[in-house]
Amino acid sequence: MEQTFKVPIRNLFCLLSYVNEMPEFVDSLNDVDEDLITYDFLAKRFLAEVDSLNRRGLLRSYVTREEHTNRLGGKILINESLGYLMARKPLMVCEKDEYSPDILFNQMMKATLVMLSKNRYIKDETRRRSFQLIEYLVDVDEVALTKEVFSKSHFHRHTVHYKRMIHIARLLHELTLLSHKQGNWSLFSAQLNETSMNQLFEKFLFHFYSIEQKEYRVKVEQMQWKLEGNTALLPSMRTDISLIHKREPKKIVMDAKFYKNVFQEFHGKASLHSHNMYQLFTYLMHQSEDIDVQGVLIYPYNGVDVDETYQWNERVTMKVMTVNLDESWKRIYERLIGLSNV
């Protein structure tokens, strides 16, 4: 059975902010008590953005619509009108450009409001306010919220004031998807399975180090086996995250592993997971011999704090550590950024 991890909503919000390359959202909550940052708190932030946009006036653009009408206008669609002509009905199908608020940004706004208004986990007051704000969007269709839809969000100087609302909508959507997969979540925390947590944390680490430090280039590294023979049958060697120093001959290779227990047991003896150690050690042995390299295995904290360093020689070391995702975001940040300061 796959293990699960309980993570505070406030820290999931921070992880997702980095994954979506929006660290400014984490900074915007620096003056808020971390215990107050719940799903409902984030939903209210979204509603405040919607309220502000409504007062400013919703974005509008020309939207092409087809209309079945007896008043000709715009572009007449002959093929679509043939049925009416053959039936001798006084109707034609016309294509008209209408200056309308029914554009993608507003459709995403409405879909998020509908999602919140139906969410039985958030406070009644938040649900009611979400339902009330939907009334401002009667001329806007609802769109299905997907990763692809959010990826279409591109901003320029006339739409940049929508950026904050769209990004919070995206985070609320992703938080809901992650949380509801397990069906066990609250305003304060979500329970994620091992696979979801591992994928999320790996992406987070990549973007975190890409954004928060400038000394290293961050990449996923594909390595070649130093073996002779039929290499077509060999498995690929691909790091989760490689930090390559821009000026000095050194590198950090990271691997995030999410197991409920950081230790394995054999005949009653606890030890670090052998296959994780073997894998990372193999990566280290395939690095160039003219650089200093450190391998880092990162596990979730599960009641046992681990911070061990092992040395192969003067240039190769391996570190095994745990990160407590239930701690304050400040502590998590400091623990991770410290790795890039070696």
Side-chain angles (χ1 to χ4, degrees):
M1 183 178 177
E2 192 167 33
Q3 302 287 359
T4 58
F5 298 87
K6 197 172 184 180
V7 184
I9 289 290
R10 55 180 166 78
N11 287 343
L12 271 181
F13 173 78
C14 293
L15 297 185
L16 287 168
S17 293
Y18 277 94
V19 168
N20 290 306
E21 300 183 48
M22 298 180 287
E24 66 273 14
F25 280 82
V26 179
D27 295 337
S28 72
L29 299 180
N30 284 341
D31 58 344
V32 179
D33 185 336
E34 286 196 349
D35 291 334
L36 298 178
I37 302 173
T38 65
Y39 188 90
D40 191 77
F41 173 88
L42 298 174
K44 286 179 178 175
R45 281 285 177 111
F46 172 77
L47 298 183
E49 292 297 322
V50 172
D51 228 357
S52 174
L53 291 171
N54 276 326
R55 289 196 301 272
R56 178 171 177 163
L58 295 177
L59 277 176
R60 292 172 179 265
S61 186
Y62 284 100
V63 177
T64 301
R65 297 187 186 281
E66 285 189 11
E67 183 178 311
H68 298 243
T69 179
N70 58 3
R71 296 183 179 181
L72 299 184
K75 179 181 177 182
I76 299 173
L77 303 178
I78 298 297
N79 289 340
E80 288 79 356
S81 302
L82 282 177
Y84 293 125
L85 293 172
M86 293 177 68
R88 297 185 178 182
K89 292 184 178 179
L91 291 173
M92 296 289 281
V93 181
C94 297
E95 192 175 80
K96 298 181 179 180
D97 288 334
E98 179 182 314
Y99 196 58
S100 166
D102 191 21
I103 61 174
L104 184 60
F105 284 154
N106 292 331
Q107 291 170 356
M108 293 160 73
M109 178 196 294
K110 184 172 185 176
T112 304
L113 288 170
V114 171
M115 176 185 75
L116 292 176
S117 70
K118 295 178 179 178
N119 190 329
R120 60 188 178 86
Y121 291 98
I122 62 176
K123 295 179 181 178
D124 290 343
E125 169 197 347
T126 309
R127 292 173 61 190
R128 281 196 300 271
R129 183 59 184 149
S130 302
F131 186 76
Q132 291 168 353
L133 287 170
I134 294 172
E135 294 180 4
Y136 291 101
L137 301 167
V138 290
D139 295 325
V140 176
D141 292 334
E142 189 181 337
V143 68
L145 295 177
T146 63
K147 181 179 179 180
E148 291 70 30
V149 166
F150 281 109
S151 69
K152 295 177 182 177
S153 304
H154 303 293
F155 303 94
H156 50 75
R157 63 189 183 92
H158 296 300
T159 61
V160 70
H161 58 292
Y162 264 67
K163 184 175 182 180
R164 191 174 181 84
M165 182 276 293
I166 292 296
H167 283 177
I168 297 177
R170 181 174 192 160
L171 294 174
L172 288 171
H173 172 68
E174 293 186 5
L175 279 170
T176 304
L177 284 182
L178 284 170
S179 305
H180 285 187
K181 281 182 180 178
Q182 293 302 120
N184 187 4
W185 75 300
S186 68
L187 295 180
F188 304 94
S189 65
Q191 192 164 298
L192 277 65
N193 62 38
E194 187 177 295
T195 302
S196 297
M197 195 67 244
N198 198 88
Q199 291 172 348
L200 173 62
F201 196 65
E202 181 183 322
K203 290 178 182 177
F204 157 72
L205 288 174
F206 186 91
H207 290 286
F208 177 85
Y209 287 110
S210 296
I211 293 167
E212 294 296 343
Q213 60 76 42
K214 303 302 178 187
E215 296 296 313
Y216 293 85
R217 288 185 292 110
V218 183
K219 62 183 291 188
V220 174
E221 194 175 12
Q222 187 80 34
M223 292 174 292
Q224 301 299 318
W225 287 89
K226 295 178 181 179
L227 294 173
E228 297 292 334
N230 186 3
T231 57
L233 297 179
L234 293 174
S236 63
M237 278 199 296
R238 182 174 177 272
T239 64
D240 287 349
I241 305 136
S242 290
L243 278 68
I244 303 166
H245 204 279
K246 295 177 181 178
R247 295 179 305 280
E248 300 176 23
K250 61 182 183 180
K251 181 189 293 187
I252 302 171
V253 178
M254 292 186 179
D255 214 356
K257 300 294 184 185
F258 268 76
Y259 302 138
K260 197 70 172 179
N261 196 332
V262 69
F263 299 115
Q264 63 181 10
E265 283 199 18
F266 186 69
H267 294 313
K269 179 182 181 297
S271 65
L272 296 167
H273 289 277
S274 56
H275 54 290
N276 297 160
M277 298 291 287
Y278 298 155
Q279 180 185 28
L280 185 59
F281 189 68
T282 302
Y283 290 169
L284 299 181
M285 291 300 99
H286 281 76
Q287 298 297 323
S288 173
E289 294 182 2
D290 58 358
I291 65 170
D292 294 335
V293 59
Q294 181 181 49
V296 182
L297 273 174
I298 304 179
Y299 292 93
Y301 172 82
N302 69 335
V304 180
D305 190 19
V306 177
D307 192 352
E308 301 289 344
T309 301
Y310 303 93
Q311 188 157 355
W312 171 251
N313 56 31
E314 289 184 353
R315 69 174 189 85
V316 179
T317 58
M318 183 184 293
K319 185 179 184 67
V320 182
M321 61 179 286
T322 52
V323 174
N324 187 352
L325 290 179
D326 199 29
E327 282 189 321
S328 71
W329 176 250
K330 182 180 178 182
R331 290 286 300 276
I332 294 171
Y333 180 96
E334 290 172 350
R335 189 155 174 76
L336 292 177
I337 203 66
L339 289 175
S340 63
N341 294 328
V342 296

